[in-house]
Amino acid sequence: MKGLDHLEHLDKQLVDELAQVARETVRDELRDQTRRRRRTATLYAASGAVALYAGAALALAVGLALAIGLPGWAAALITAAILGVAAYALREAARPSEPRPAPDRAVDLAAGHDPGAPPAGGTGAVAGTAGRTVGAAHPPVPPMPPAPPSGATRPERPGETDPGTGHRA
């Protein structure tokens, strides 16, 4: 049994040494990755700063070119309008496209309920949310009635027009 105790001590020592080597390897790898990422981030930041100055120089050139034939204030106003339109176009291009409604939202929309719409008569809008309500509670949505079996016709209502023909039924 003493031989097994000695092997157990060797196993524990081997596991400890392997864990230490693994920790050092991971630490070195993370340090190298961090160094590379820091350099990349610095280069991106410098690139953005230079692009900002290039854009300012371009705006100045446009303004000066317009100022040849226009008063200075009009040239500056036109340049500002051009930059505003460009900023708006870039913002719209950066927005993600409208996601398709999830199945439960599709059912709500089919029933005529839009959970994203502001509640009727409620304000609850917050500046900068572009019409969306923030934190407003929505009333519970009633369940949809079951669909009629295939081949069944719906009852006609008096005075209702037939959408296929445009005539009264």
Side-chain angles (χ1 to χ4, degrees), residues 87-130:
Y88 180 77
L90 289 171
R91 186 190 75 178
E92 290 299 312
R95 282 190 176 173
S97 63
E98 183 68 28
R100 295 178 185 232
D104 60 335
R105 180 163 161 74
V107 169
D108 291 342
L109 291 175
H113 303 286
D114 184 4
T123 54
V126 175
T129 59

Side-chain angles (χ1 to χ4, degrees), residues 1-17:
M1 290 298 274
K2 287 188 176 196
L4 292 178
D5 290 338
H6 179 66
L7 288 178
E8 186 176 304
H9 176 69
L10 286 177
D11 287 344
K12 183 172 175 27
Q13 186 179 7
L14 181 62
V15 167
D16 289 342
E17 285 180 28

Side-chain angles (χ1 to χ4, degrees), residues 34-133:
T34 303
R35 189 174 297 126
R36 284 191 300 263
R37 298 251 167 102
R38 187 181 305 136
R39 182 177 184 275
T40 302
T42 303
L43 290 174
Y44 273 121
S47 169
V50 170
L52 181 67
Y53 281 109
L58 178 65
L60 179 65
V62 168
L64 290 174
L66 288 172
I68 292 173
L70 297 172
W73 64 268
L77 187 63
I78 291 171
T79 303
I82 292 170
L83 290 174
V85 168
Y88 180 77
L90 289 171
R91 186 190 75 178
E92 290 299 312
R95 282 190 176 173
S97 63
E98 183 68 28
R100 295 178 185 232
D104 60 335
R105 180 163 161 74
V107 169
D108 291 342
L109 291 175
H113 303 286
D114 184 4
T123 54
V126 175
T129 59
R132 296 175 299 201
T133 56

Side-chain angles (χ1 to χ4, degrees), residues 16-35:
D16 289 342
E17 285 180 28
L18 284 174
Q20 181 65 27
V21 168
R23 277 193 295 270
E24 289 174 4
T25 304
V26 168
R27 186 180 304 129
D28 290 342
E29 182 66 27
L30 287 175
R31 187 175 294 129
D32 289 343
Q33 286 180 3
T34 303
R35 189 174 297 126

